[in-house]
Amino acid sequence: MWLDKVKKAYGDNLNITWKNFSLEQNAHNLKEGLDSDWKVWEQEDASERRSLVSQIAAEAARRQGEEAHAKFHLALLVARHGGEGRISLSDEDAILELAESVGLDSAQMREDMKDPELRRKIGEEHEAAISEGIFGTPTYVFENGNMAYLKAFIPDDEDAVASFEHYIALANHRNYFGEIKRPQPPWPKGVLS
């Protein structure tokens, strides 16, 4: 949602490519004694997974064009993180209703979601991220190859662009900063109203 505000300010001068990363897969791999061959994207019933349905739906939305994907992705983020009722990332009907509400062809999405190619792509993107050392989301990958994970609250509208520019200046252009972590508590004291 923060990047949507920034994208509106930057327009065509900022390109964002969303890629898949499964926090559930990553958590599974971190647990000791579990089968290392288990892959979340290979599980038969996607609705039993935490967010696999939403990832498959996002890839189905991408088939309707990048603009359709961007609308759907933002709507999904807002429905999950931006309001009172949090959409379940495993509820296919709710996700397809959301897609329809932003102008996507939900019947086509439902059909496309059956294509195993979408799951394969999710797995490939996750494995590629792991091979680069990515461990969480959101991780930003910059054109120059620098990468940085950022845990943050969404800045107020009037501070969205400036916060993004400060982040980019530090994460993209200053390789010698490896980690910044605020003590908890007091963080996020003063951030949340």
Side-chain angles (χ1 to χ4, degrees), residues 107-144:
Q108 184 62 52
M109 275 184 69
R110 186 179 300 275
E111 191 60 34
D112 286 342
M113 288 173 69
K114 297 174 188 173
D115 185 350
E117 177 66 19
L118 301 182
R119 287 174 179 247
R120 187 195 60 74
K121 183 179 184 210
I122 291 165
E124 280 183 1
E125 288 183 358
H126 179 87
E127 296 293 340
I130 292 294
S131 73
E132 293 292 328
I134 293 172
F135 58 88
T137 181
T139 297
Y140 296 79
V141 180
F142 304 102
E143 286 181 354
N144 65 5

Side-chain angles (χ1 to χ4, degrees), residues 16-179:
I16 301 168
T17 303
W18 295 98
K19 295 205 175 184
N20 291 290
F21 186 83
S22 173
L23 292 173
E24 183 175 10
Q25 179 67 41
N26 212 38
H28 178 88
N29 287 346
L30 295 174
K31 293 179 183 176
E32 292 188 37
L34 293 177
D35 179 9
S36 63
D37 292 333
W38 185 89
K39 305 294 183 206
V40 68
W41 49 87
E42 294 174 352
Q43 302 311 300
E44 189 172 324
D45 187 353
S47 69
E48 291 182 1
R49 312 288 18 121
R50 288 192 310 217
S51 62
L52 183 58
V53 171
S54 65
Q55 288 178 295
I56 294 169
E59 288 306 318
R62 195 182 305 271
R63 288 185 172 179
Q64 295 185 32
E66 286 303 319
E67 185 178 328
H69 177 264
K71 284 181 185 177
F72 173 73
H73 191 262
L74 178 60
L76 187 60
L77 287 173
V78 170
R80 178 65 179 176
H81 301 292
E84 296 171 16
R86 292 174 45 133
I87 192 171
S88 168
L89 298 178
S90 61
D91 184 340
E92 183 174 320
D93 290 333
I95 288 170
L96 290 171
E97 276 182 38
L98 181 69
E100 193 168 297
S101 77
V102 295
L104 277 72
D105 181 342
S106 61
Q108 184 62 52
M109 275 184 69
R110 186 179 300 275
E111 191 60 34
D112 286 342
M113 288 173 69
K114 297 174 188 173
D115 185 350
E117 177 66 19
L118 301 182
R119 287 174 179 247
R120 187 195 60 74
K121 183 179 184 210
I122 291 165
E124 280 183 1
E125 288 183 358
H126 179 87
E127 296 293 340
I130 292 294
S131 73
E132 293 292 328
I134 293 172
F135 58 88
T137 181
T139 297
Y140 296 79
V141 180
F142 304 102
E143 286 181 354
N144 65 5
N146 286 341
M147 293 179 266
Y149 166 82
L150 178 66
K151 178 180 179 179
F153 287 98
I154 299 168
D156 294 330
D157 289 352
E158 63 273 2
D159 200 31
V161 172
S163 294
F164 180 75
E165 290 171 349
H166 288 295
Y167 171 65
I168 296 299
L170 184 67
N172 188 25
H173 304 296
R174 301 292 182 260
N175 294 350
Y176 36 82
F177 294 120
E179 185 173 337

